Amino acid sequence: MNNPTKGLTGSIVAIVTPMREDKSIDFEALARLIEWHVREGTQGICVAGTTGESATLNVEEHTQVCAFTVAQVSGRVPVIAGAGANSTSEAVELTQMAKGIGASATLQVAPYYVRPTQEGLYQHFTRIAEAVDLPLLLYNVPARTGVDIELATTLRLAKVGGVAGVKDATGSIERASEILHARPNGFGLYSGDDATAAALMLLGGEGTISVTANVAPTLMARLCEAARSGDARAAARLHLQLMPLHKSLFIESSPSPTKWALAQLEKIEAHCRLPLLSLSETAQPLVLRAMQEAGLFTPR
């Protein structure tokens, strides 16, 4: 597989899964979100990930959301399908689904809760990569999974055919620097932490799989363009403009703040599925203030 990360660059939105009041999936709203992102310069869509509430989607819904997104995008930007699981066999099945619907790549989170060893992680991701011929992005988010894909394991996996890159959500610029220093050609590094995304890209990372891009797609696309072209001043200006939003979108469990913010922009309804709740009234003014500071449209 020659340079599997080609085309997977810039601002890739970790898109929410819109839901109605009865908690059914709102596909009409999802279609509108996708069209908005394409117009505003988002360079890729990651569907059915953490921000897409994948943990609350059943297998049929997971497939429907991914297939709908691929069809709606219709090749205009890459689509990364969330296909991770804490069971290797289930992750293989989801990856086979992603290939069947025409996704550009999959995002594979470290198995959560079971806390595998580093060798277990290596064998898990290798098995998926060998089973399905589709670029695979590792997803390292130890704060959620309880296990870190350590640097040595990441670099070992980077040599496995089909393992195209890593979404690093540790927020550690030191870790990012170590990956950039030692990675083989064609292995992409993507930020999974909006607050450090600009720095990661200025160092040479390919892009960000972003929560903030849900709410501020144009600004995140501009930030990525500036950072990836080496325009540190412009990247810093946009980073500081967005920093309050980066923080406020995690003031309560994600994606509750993001969905509430999108509801203020009249893009979707703010509903989440249990055990997640809609954003509390206490937190709402803080998110609204951050939206105002970013210069986004806010209610009259």
Side-chain angles (χ1 to χ4, degrees), residues 10-11 43 197-206 218-239 242:
S11 179
Q43 292 180 276
L200 182 146
M201 286 182 283
L202 283 165
L203 288 169
E206 275 62 42
T218 306
L219 292 174
M220 282 302 299
R222 291 176 183 168
L223 184 153
C224 290
E225 181 180 1
R228 295 192 68 248
S229 66
D231 189 345
R233 288 185 181 275
R237 183 175 65 252
L238 288 160
H239 167 74
L242 287 167

Side-chain angles (χ1 to χ4, degrees), residues 254-266:
S254 182
S256 298
T258 301
K259 282 191 160 184
W260 185 86
L262 282 167
Q264 307 320 296
L265 298 174
E266 300 182 349

Side-chain angles (χ1 to χ4, degrees), residues 54-209:
S54 58
T56 70
L57 302 178
N58 62 38
V59 174
E60 181 180 3
E61 290 172 327
H62 194 126
T63 301
Q64 288 173 340
V65 168
C66 290
F68 182 90
T69 300
V70 170
Q72 185 71 34
V73 168
S74 190
R76 290 174 290 174
V77 297
V79 175
I80 302 169
N86 58 1
S87 159
T88 304
S89 61
E90 182 180 349
V92 169
E93 290 176 4
L94 289 172
T95 303
Q96 290 168 335
M97 173 275 294
K99 183 174 177 62
I101 64 170
S104 306
T106 65
L107 186 67
Q108 298 285 346
V109 70
Y112 40 88
Y113 185 73
V114 293
R115 298 173 65 90
T117 64
Q118 295 301 302
E119 181 61 27
L121 288 170
Y122 176 80
Q123 292 194 25
H124 170 80
F125 292 119
T126 299
R127 181 73 57 84
I128 300 165
E130 291 177 345
V132 187
D133 182 20
L134 187 67
L136 177 161
L137 297 181
L138 310 170
Y139 180 18
N140 191 26
V141 56
R144 283 184 177 268
T145 62
V147 62
D148 180 23
I149 309 174
E150 295 176 1
L151 175 65
T153 303
T154 300
L155 296 175
R156 186 182 175 199
L157 284 162
K159 300 174 183 177
V160 174
V163 178
V166 59
K167 174 186 176 182
D168 187 274
T170 64
S172 169
I173 293 302
E174 179 181 357
R175 171 70 67 88
S177 300
E178 290 175 317
I179 294 171
L180 289 167
H181 173 72
R183 65 177 175 169
N185 290 335
F187 184 78
L189 175 62
Y190 303 86
S191 173
D193 173 62
D194 283 312
T196 55
L200 182 146
M201 286 182 283
L202 283 165
L203 288 169
E206 275 62 42
T208 179
I209 300 177

